[in-house]
Amino acid sequence: MRWLLTAVVVAMLAHSAAAQTDTGEISGVVRDTQGGVLPGVTIVAEHVDSGTRIERVSDGEGRYFLPSLRTGTYTITADLTGFRRIIRSGLVLRLGQTLAIDFQLEPGGVSE
């Protein structure tokens, strides 16, 4: 009976260790200045230390989701033809964290 208890405890510890994460995620919604959602916006997240770039496109409801990102500092760019590009720098993603970063794009040309 003691071996059964030991086996259960070991299995629980293994499951707990597997459930831990060493990443974080960033998500948000992109809107125009009138509050309307913007689908098709290119979102690029760049990990500052490694230079790794992750690119996604906002969905039909203006939402984007960047899962399983390594922790550290990011620069995120939101870009859509006919709107001014927005760049957010110095965003720090911590272990297990979900950052909610929304964007509001203004009509116009490309800007930094």
Side-chain angles (χ1 to χ4, degrees):
M1 188 66 144
R2 183 176 170 99
W3 67 268
L4 180 60
L5 179 59
T6 302
V8 169
V9 169
V10 169
M12 288 174 58
L13 289 174
H15 178 71
S16 175
Q20 293 179 357
T21 180
D22 61 353
T23 61
E25 54 193 38
I26 300 174
S27 64
V29 177
V30 186
R31 299 181 185 277
D32 62 20
T33 55
Q34 303 300 313
V37 297
L38 287 174
V41 177
T42 301
I43 305 293
V44 177
E46 183 174 350
H47 187 259
V48 173
D49 291 338
S50 69
T52 303
R53 294 169 52 97
I54 308 299
E55 184 175 314
R56 296 288 186 273
V57 175
S58 62
D59 67 13
E61 296 177 5
R63 297 177 302 194
Y64 72 92
F65 182 59
L66 305 166
S68 302
L69 299 174
R70 67 190 303 180
T71 58
T73 304
Y74 281 86
T75 297
I76 301 181
T77 304
D79 195 17
L80 180 63
T81 301
F83 289 85
R84 294 184 185 194
R85 177 185 305 141
I86 295 180
I87 300 172
R88 300 250 177 97
S89 301
L91 301 169
V92 178
L93 183 63
R94 293 185 169 77
L95 186 66
Q97 181 181 32
T98 299
L99 283 178
I101 308 294
D102 293 338
F103 290 93
Q104 184 178 29
L105 273 59
E106 296 178 4
V110 176
S111 67
E112 299 263 337

